Amino acid sequence: MEAPLGRGPLPKAELHVHVEGAAPPDLVRRLAEKYSVDIGGLFNEDGGYDWQDFSSFLAVYDKASRLFRAPEDYALLSETYLRQLAAEGAIYAELTISPDHAAGAGLSYAAYVGGLAEGIERARAETGIEARMIAIGVRHFGAQAVERVALQVTGAPHPLVTGFGLAGDEREGHPASFARAFRIAGEAGLGLTAHAGEFAGPESVAAALDFLKVRRIGHGVRAIEDPALVERLAAEGIVLEVCPGSNLALGLYGALRFHPVNLLRRAGCRITLNSDDPPFFRTTLGQEYASCAEVFGWSREDLIAITGCAIDAAFCDDETRAALRRRLPAVPAQWQT
Ligand code: ADE
Ligand code: ZN
């Protein structure tokens, strides 16, 4: 039986959060001490990550990632983040993982995924939160590197690694050059998603759909600049992993009221809410839900429908999806996205 709408913590789901980007500054400082590494330039005087623009964000992100050097460091990271999410009411999360970042810290793919999986299991045992991993290639590392990740992931299948994606600097590399990697991952049964329409324009979203055959897009918000593309997204049921706080922090929009998430939703696009790299952008999944509700007047039913959209689009098996669905209150049909 489905739970009543109720007033308890709103059930949430997150499809787009980079695990290295979820590292709490305190954990990074502890690891710097453990490995006796100088972290000058990493944090500002408030103790938060110190970056100014997308390029310096990526540089600080890479530097912090290099402090995760052992499977137990990653276990602690996934467990810490998922516990935090569960405390905000999340029932499901997909952690974006980057084997290239782990390799940069000297960690093999098996050790990386093994450590993260242990943290996921511990968080699930403690809180009931369900999680999967999406392995990504970093586009500014080049098409060969992205293909190497696809081969690594498909050559050593792990039950919790259920997706493949593309992140990094969207200004580099046309989607066509990553088509082979996506074909390898898709043929192995992995769910596919790609960052597009964050810094690059609507043409990047169309190209990701056409060349990478994805049914989910990371961000995708700049699709709003092309009405025909918005119609296509709605007609094809493409799911957008929208990260409003990230877009504001990186300067895409000046204030949440100018963010296109509400227009996209009203145009019939399937949208989900996500935090991307929460401590870097001083946000949390709970804050994303709360601020959108406040600014766009979204009701509890709207937010539950958004969580439902994420569960429907999740890269998990149907049995898990059905179990997650049963944890959602029933929402009348007019709220379904
Ligand atoms: N990697 C981590 N965060 C990212 C973002 N917002 N866009 C692209 N690549 C990323
Ligand atoms: Zn992202």
Side-chain angles (χ1 to χ4, degrees):
M1 200 182 74
E2 281 168 326
L5 261 185
R7 306 311 303 174
L10 190 117
K12 305 175 182 71
E14 172 147 82
L15 300 183
H16 188 131
V17 57
H18 300 261
V19 77
E20 286 85 3
D26 277 349
L27 176 55
V28 170
R29 278 188 279 270
R30 266 190 282 149
L31 292 176
E33 229 173 270
K34 174 177 168 185
Y35 295 119
S36 306
V37 172
D38 174 13
I39 47 167
L42 204 50
F43 297 110
N44 57 32
E45 61 265 27
D46 300 333
Y49 289 107
D50 193 16
W51 57 271
Q52 291 74 41
D53 53 21
F54 189 55
S55 299
S56 65
F57 155 70
L58 288 176
V60 167
Y61 179 101
D62 289 353
K63 191 167 173 182
S65 301
R66 283 195 290 276
L67 291 163
F68 290 82
R69 298 180 175 184
E72 60 269 23
D73 300 339
Y74 270 110
L76 190 55
L77 174 54
S78 54
E79 180 186 4
T80 303
Y81 183 63
L82 291 171
R83 278 172 172 271
Q84 202 176 303
L85 264 189
E88 289 193 309
I91 59 171
Y92 181 74
E94 286 175 3
L95 303 177
T96 290
I97 68 169
S98 170
D100 285 329
H101 280 84
L107 212 54
S108 72
Y109 177 66
Y112 179 50
V113 168
L116 287 165
E118 190 171 328
I120 289 174
E121 299 296 352
R122 290 205 299 250
R124 177 171 32 207
E126 287 295 322
T127 68
I129 191 168
E130 195 64 60
R132 298 291 184 272
M133 292 178 262
I134 301 174
I136 50 116
V138 179
R139 64 192 304 154
H140 57 268
F141 293 170
Q144 272 191 346
V146 173
E147 200 171 316
R148 214 167 36 236
V149 173
L151 290 169
Q152 212 166 27
V153 175
T154 54
H158 186 287
L160 295 182
V161 180
T162 54
F164 179 76
L166 185 64
D169 195 334
E170 257 182 59
R171 297 164 296 195
E172 289 189 34
H174 189 275
S177 50
F178 306 107
R180 244 166 78 112
F182 274 73
R183 200 169 58 242
I184 292 166
E187 283 173 3
L190 294 169
L192 303 177
T193 179
H195 283 61
E198 180 190 19
F199 284 97
E203 68 289 347
S204 70
V205 176
L209 298 177
D210 293 338
F211 291 100
L212 307 180
K213 311 292 178 208
V214 294
R215 305 274 306 152
R216 278 174 35 183
I217 295 278
H219 299 282
V221 289
R222 290 196 55 197
I224 200 69
E225 297 165 30
D226 178 352
L229 177 62
V230 172
E231 261 181 46
R232 177 182 176 187
L233 295 177
E236 295 183 12
I238 303 299
V239 171
L240 302 180
E241 303 158 6
V242 182
C243 311
S246 162
N247 298 153
L248 295 189
L250 287 168
L252 268 73
Y253 305 100
L256 188 53
R257 66 184 185 282
F258 302 129
H259 191 284
V261 63
N262 197 35
L263 291 176
L264 288 164
R265 185 162 189 258
R266 284 185 8 211
C269 294
R270 299 174 72 198
I271 67 109
T272 62
L273 287 178
N274 306 275
S275 67
D276 210 6
D277 305 283
F280 284 84
F281 303 142
R282 298 183 180 272
T283 189
T284 67
L285 184 64
Q287 278 182 50
E288 297 296 329
Y289 272 71
S291 54
C292 282
E294 189 185 331
V295 169
F296 301 121
W298 291 353
S299 66
R300 190 175 168 83
E301 289 79 3
D302 287 317
L303 298 177
I304 292 168
I306 285 169
T307 301
C309 177
I311 300 300
D312 290 346
F315 296 153
C316 67
D317 56 278
D318 287 342
E319 199 180 319
T320 303
R321 193 185 324 281
L324 289 166
R325 266 268 168 213
R326 284 194 292 274
R327 292 170 69 180
L328 290 186
V331 166
Q334 72 264 31
W335 276 286
Q336 305 290 339
T337 48

